[in-house]
Amino acid sequence: MSHESLRVGLICAVLVMILVGGTGMGTASTQVFKEGEVGKSERAQPNPSWELAFVSERDGNQEIYVMNADGSNVRRLTNNPAADVYPAWSPDGERIAFASERDGNSEIYVMNADGSVQQRLTNSPGLDGFPAWSPDGTRIAFVSERDGNPEVYVMNADGSNVQRLTTDPLSDSMPAWKPGG
């Protein structure tokens, strides 16, 4: 999981957002069909309390930002010369897990939703990335190359009890939890 693969992953995530329903940076277009009407388009309005975390290079390198669902109130949460990428909201919306290269290679970090209290959870010679919170917020799945190739791991939300879940000789990546457990 080189810096280049982190960039490719980010590009793929943006493409998925665009293909699935827009960039998340405005209102989503929804096709509504009523009896006798074909193709009438209406705009779905985002919930005003929703926020979106995203990665931007607008200040010179990859940093994590949040904004309201309507694109207003953009705030930078990280400010580090290294790349900070792959933000993932905790289910309660209080914390954001992310990957950062600030300590020499990609590791998993967590911070409060306002960007305060940024702490490293992993410390491995291999690259760690793609964090994904469990539905109850007690665990984080992630990808690591600590054993030679990308595999899926899981750990407690405080970084303890790291366990390898996959053992395939090829690459395993992009963990995603089923909502609701």
Side-chain angles (χ1 to χ4, degrees):
M1 198 171 7
S2 68
H3 184 67
E4 183 60 26
S5 65
L6 291 175
R7 280 188 181 277
V8 169
L10 179 60
I11 291 168
C12 290
V14 169
L15 289 174
V16 167
M17 287 189 314
I18 291 168
L19 292 173
V20 171
T23 63
M25 293 173 56
T27 57
S29 179
T30 304
Q31 292 292 323
V32 178
F33 298 101
K34 298 177 183 173
E35 191 173 332
E37 296 180 18
V38 179
K40 182 179 178 183
S41 180
E42 295 181 10
R43 292 284 197 189
Q45 296 299 316
N47 182 323
S49 68
W50 290 350
E51 289 187 314
L52 179 68
F54 66 102
V55 175
S56 177
E57 294 183 3
R58 64 184 64 201
D59 291 321
N61 71 314
Q62 295 176 317
E63 299 290 354
I64 296 173
Y65 292 76
V66 294
M67 66 180 166
N68 294 344
D70 65 1
S72 66
N73 196 24
V74 176
R75 301 162 321 274
R76 182 170 65 185
L77 300 184
T78 61
N79 187 9
N80 192 282
D84 295 324
V85 294
Y86 306 120
W89 287 98
S90 63
D92 64 6
E94 297 294 318
R95 296 175 292 168
I96 298 173
F98 63 101
S100 179
E101 297 176 354
R102 62 182 66 186
D103 291 319
N105 72 324
S106 183
E107 300 288 353
I108 304 297
Y109 287 75
V110 69
M111 64 181 157
N112 291 339
D114 65 1
S116 66
V117 192
Q118 297 180 16
Q119 65 183 87
R120 184 172 67 183
L121 299 182
T122 62
N123 187 12
S124 134
L127 302 175
D128 296 334
F130 305 106
W133 290 88
S134 64
D136 65 1
T138 62
R139 299 177 55 123
I140 299 173
F142 64 101
V143 175
S144 180
E145 291 183 354
R146 63 186 64 202
D147 294 322
N149 70 310
E151 298 290 350
V152 176
Y153 287 75
V154 68
M155 64 182 162
N156 292 340
D158 65 2
S160 65
N161 196 28
V162 175
Q163 299 172 333
R164 183 176 175 175
L165 299 181
T166 62
T167 57
D168 194 83
L170 300 176
S171 175
D172 293 319
S173 65
M174 306 298 260
W177 297 87
K178 176 184 173 186

